[in-house]
Amino acid sequence: MSNIKHELQQQRGVALIIVLLIVALVSVLATQMGSRLQLQVKRASNIKDNNQAYWYAMGAEQYAQKSIKFLLENSDGVINLNQQWSEPFVYPLEGGGIQAQLLDMQSCFNINSLQGGDQSSTGAGTRSGPSERQLAFKRLMTNINPDISTYDIDTFSDSLVDWLDADSNMLPRGAEDSEYESRQFPYLAANNLMAHKSELRLVNGASIEWLADVLDQVCVIPSDDQLKINVNTIDEESIAVLAALTGLDESGAQDIISNRPDDGYQTKDEFLAVNTISALNMPSEREDWFDVTTQHFILKVKTSYNNATFSMLSVFKVDDNQNVTVLRREFALQ
């Protein structure tokens, strides 16, 4: 009998241990499930907040499209900085808000325009000299940073034209596929228009010492090789661009901006008739670089909702019928 009682006691002890192990296992599983549930709830909440911040930005973009169309229709196409579009837009919303700024994309030097410039030619497809646009770009680099050497300017500008053009003929200080293929991490020249100005970092001759300054004064208009600036929206931060395109020094360009009418020039001819400009006797090609209207705008938007923030850049194009379309968007979560 004593042996039987002893065995029963042992079995009860084993059963108790098994029960305790099961309880411990269930507790661990419940804790893990609770933690995962909290994580999933937080994740779903973050996704909802981020989506809401995104749709706030998209709403601002649609509002900007309508505003641009309204602006052009009610200003006879003449765009200047004293119009309401140029003012920062701040709109508070429940749980967040929208901050937006609409900028004229034609108050900077369009890098893609260097593809459209005609090089001086000696025949048989050989190019002997820089185009007017390339000369203007070289002047711009000098205006931006006088410490950039002539060699660096010639190398970078020639390489930039080679990067954009469709052929494999190198300018005197340019670079084509053979140069880029020889590097530690090889790649090929685009031989096409740029999609974003950050591509300038890939071009032969680019230097970290001055590239950031150049990036501040240039832009890339997608699928557009025209060089056209709005003389009514050039501001003091873009004096170097106006000086480079006109051929004036920066002091002369500053005078042009300071003496500009409050509502801007109403026609391009009115701008070209200014004594300082008319005295330059610019060739017709350079006169075509100037206008009083704008076909490309860029919208910078920052939105917030609860703990989520969102940034977006939208590039707009205005066609001949004054319809406004979005060419490009850039997104960033902050």
Side-chain angles (χ1 to χ4, degrees):
M1 290 291 294
S2 62
N3 290 335
I4 294 173
K5 289 181 179 180
H6 181 67
E7 289 179 2
L8 290 174
Q9 289 175 351
Q10 286 182 332
Q11 290 175 1
R12 292 192 189 101
V14 171
L16 179 60
I17 291 173
I18 292 174
V19 170
L20 291 174
L21 288 173
I22 292 173
V23 171
L25 180 60
V26 170
S27 298
V28 171
L29 290 175
T31 302
Q32 290 293 324
M33 291 175 64
S35 298
R36 291 187 179 185
L37 179 60
Q38 290 179 351
L39 182 61
Q40 291 296 326
V41 170
K42 182 64 175 176
R43 180 173 178 271
S45 177
N46 289 339
I47 291 175
K48 177 182 71 69
D49 291 349
N50 286 331
N51 284 340
Q52 188 62 54
Y54 165 80
W55 285 114
Y56 280 167
M58 295 302 292
E61 180 186 271
Q62 292 187 7
Y63 179 77
Q65 278 184 275
K66 293 182 178 180
S67 299
I68 293 171
K69 186 173 179 63
F70 178 83
L71 168 67
L72 292 168
E73 290 174 346
N74 291 273
S75 64
D76 294 326
V78 178
I79 307 300
N80 63 72
L81 290 177
N82 286 332
Q83 295 164 331
Q84 193 172 5
W85 67 269
S86 64
E87 299 176 2
F89 176 84
V90 179
Y91 193 81
L93 295 164
E94 184 177 355
I98 300 173
Q99 299 178 37
Q101 176 74 67
L102 191 61
L103 303 171
D104 182 358
M105 208 173 182
Q106 289 179 213
S107 60
C108 54
F109 191 104
N110 178 23
I111 290 297
N112 280 339
S113 67
L114 293 176
Q115 186 196 68
D118 294 328
Q119 301 290 130
S120 300
S121 176
T122 60
T126 303
R127 295 170 295 185
S128 64
S131 66
E132 283 285 342
R133 298 183 185 188
Q134 191 179 358
L135 290 173
F137 181 71
K138 290 182 178 184
R139 290 194 295 268
L140 175 62
M141 291 187 66
T142 301
N143 294 340
I144 290 171
N145 188 340
D147 293 331
I148 306 177
S149 69
T150 301
Y151 176 82
D152 286 343
I153 291 175
D154 290 343
T155 299
F156 186 63
S157 63
D158 280 6
S159 299
L160 184 51
V161 173
D162 283 337
W163 181 273
L164 294 167
D165 64 26
D167 60 46
S168 298
N169 301 321
M170 281 196 301
L171 291 177
R173 292 183 178 172
E176 288 287 357
D177 290 345
S178 57
E179 165 63 30
Y180 301 112
E181 287 177 321
S182 66
R183 300 190 174 185
Q184 182 180 3
F185 301 101
Y187 53 95
L188 300 177
N191 294 132
N192 206 341
L193 297 178
M194 289 187 174
H196 194 276
K197 65 181 181 180
S198 59
E199 290 183 49
L200 286 173
R201 296 181 173 90
L202 300 174
V203 177
N204 179 56
S207 171
I208 193 174
E209 296 177 357
W210 45 259
L211 185 59
D213 296 330
V214 173
L215 289 171
D216 287 339
Q217 299 293 333
V218 303
C219 56
V220 164
I221 300 178
S223 304
D224 193 301
D225 65 356
Q226 298 302 305
L227 181 57
K228 188 82 72 173
I229 67 164
N230 185 340
V231 295
N232 291 333
T233 58
I234 288 280
D235 58 19
E236 294 190 355
E237 294 181 359
S238 302
I239 287 176
V241 176
L242 182 60
L245 269 61
T246 57
L248 294 169
D249 57 24
E250 293 198 15
S251 176
Q254 175 66 66
D255 290 340
I256 293 293
I257 293 175
S258 300
N259 296 319
R260 183 172 57 199
D262 291 339
D263 57 350
Y265 300 102
Q266 299 304 299
T267 64
K268 180 180 75 172
D269 290 337
E270 184 180 336
F271 166 75
L272 295 175
V274 173
N275 291 336
T276 308
I277 299 298
S278 61
L280 297 172
N281 293 318
M282 291 187 292
S284 58
E285 178 185 352
R286 286 167 63 182
E287 290 183 351
D288 289 341
W289 296 346
F290 306 101
D291 209 338
V292 296
T293 190
T294 295
Q295 291 182 303
H296 297 88
F297 292 86
I298 185 167
L299 176 69
K300 297 183 178 181
V301 181
K302 290 184 179 180
T303 62
S304 62
Y305 182 74
N306 291 339
N307 294 321
T309 57
F310 185 81
S311 294
M312 182 174 75
L313 294 178
S314 300
V315 175
F316 300 105
K317 179 180 180 179
V318 182
D319 64 19
D320 294 336
N321 296 319
Q322 296 187 342
N323 295 315
V324 184
T325 57
V326 178
L327 293 182
R328 185 184 71 209
R329 296 189 183 101
E330 299 175 35
F331 303 126
L333 292 173
Q334 295 183 342

